[in-house]
Amino acid sequence: QVQLTESGGGLVQVGGSLRLSCTASGRTNTIALMGWHRQAPGKERESVASINLMGDTTYYAPSVNGRVAISTNNAKNTLYLDLHRLKPEDAAVYYCAAGDTPTRYTYWGQGTQVAVSS
């Protein structure tokens, strides 16, 4: 089992920046895929960014591409999401996820709220 704990959410002004963190514990040596998803009120959960820990390849949703960066620490047990030039539509609960295979998420965190004020 893997446990994921997010942190770093908060209130930021439009155009501002924020760093989200996700700490993984438990059987972290089995993790092959990590990513960030978000869900805004009344909307479906959507993928924001992901990183394949086998080859460090990354994916970014078109809505955030160029404004966010996903990364891990050297031990690959902490995941980061750097958000820049935040927009009101970026406001959501952001969830960290991890999977034992490169194609499927198995573990989810509880989420961290990001609010954007204009």
Side-chain angles (χ1 to χ4, degrees):
Q1 288 292 322
V2 173
Q3 294 79 42
L4 302 173
T5 304
E6 303 98 333
S7 61
L11 176 64
V12 64
Q13 290 187 331
V14 168
S17 297
L18 202 63
R19 166 171 267 203
L20 305 181
S21 301
C22 171
T23 301
S25 59
R27 299 183 62 182
T28 59
N29 60 317
T30 67
I31 297 174
L33 174 70
M34 296 192 80
W36 290 96
H37 292 67
R38 68 185 182 187
Q39 187 168 21
K43 295 187 177 181
E44 293 187 355
R45 188 175 297 188
E46 62 174 350
S47 175
V48 176
S50 66
I51 182 167
N52 182 323
L53 299 187
M54 309 300 286
D56 289 334
T57 55
T58 57
Y59 160 82
Y60 295 101
S63 59
V64 300
N65 196 20
R67 299 191 297 117
V68 307
I70 190 170
S71 61
T72 66
N73 64 346
N74 288 338
K76 297 191 176 181
N77 58 9
T78 301
L79 181 71
Y80 303 102
L81 185 71
D82 291 299
L83 303 161
H84 301 289
R85 301 192 301 280
L86 281 159
K87 303 177 180 180
E89 52 263 42
D90 294 320
V93 177
Y94 283 71
Y95 297 91
C96 174
D100 298 329
T101 72
T103 58
R104 189 169 69 94
Y105 293 105
T106 306
Y107 310 104
W108 292 84
Q110 294 300 306
T112 185
Q113 180 79 51
V114 172
V116 182
S117 65
S118 57

